[in-house]
Amino acid sequence: MSRATPKRPWRKHLHRSAALKANPFAHSRLVAESPGTDPAPRLRGVLSTIIDALHENHGAAQHQRLLTLTFLQGPSTREAAAARHNLSYSTYRRLPQALALVREELWARELHGINSS
């Protein structure tokens, strides 16, 4: 799997199984090592686990909360997520750093195994 894998598709389609199945990470080793048979919920589970672990692995509680509210629990737009959780929309300027942590962890787990952190 090339490190040139697109950065955005999983975020946009986290709750769309067909789109997740088409994502390059759905066929990666880290998803193959996850329990279950359907790649979409397995990839969703891997991403959820990585997002949940950001606080303890990277001391990134604020990033973890932002990602959880936006992609795991939140409404479909950043503006709606900010309003729903009484956050300033400017909080989303930190989203690229939070997503970079997820991307780094995905690659670490893909290259070195699920328990690499």
Side-chain angles (χ1 to χ4, degrees):
M1 172 181 258
S2 165
R3 286 188 75 111
T5 301
K7 297 176 186 177
R8 297 180 184 234
W10 69 266
R11 300 183 314 187
K12 205 172 178 186
H13 305 293
L14 191 58
H15 300 288
R16 296 182 184 139
S17 292
L20 276 180
K21 286 179 186 179
N23 185 285
F25 272 113
H27 309 287
S28 67
R29 181 181 70 168
L30 71 121
V31 172
E33 292 175 354
S34 299
T37 56
D38 188 347
R42 288 164 58 183
L43 177 55
R44 194 177 297 116
V46 167
L47 291 167
S48 179
T49 298
I50 289 171
I51 290 170
D52 289 344
L54 282 179
H55 179 328
E56 62 186 60
N57 292 346
H58 298 283
Q62 192 171 40
H63 290 149
Q64 185 265 345
R65 181 173 180 236
L66 181 61
L67 290 164
T68 298
L69 295 176
T70 304
F71 300 114
L72 301 180
Q73 300 173 352
S76 60
T77 67
R78 294 176 187 179
E79 293 88 351
R84 178 178 176 192
H85 299 287
N86 296 321
L87 296 171
S88 163
Y89 180 67
S90 66
T91 299
Y92 283 94
R93 72 178 178 267
R94 291 191 268 305
L95 194 56
Q97 294 96 346
L99 291 167
L101 291 174
V102 172
R103 196 168 39 254
E104 289 170 18
E105 189 64 24
L106 277 168
W107 278 114
R109 290 179 184 214
E110 174 64 13
L111 296 173
H112 306 292
I114 264 184
N115 297 316
S116 69
S117 344

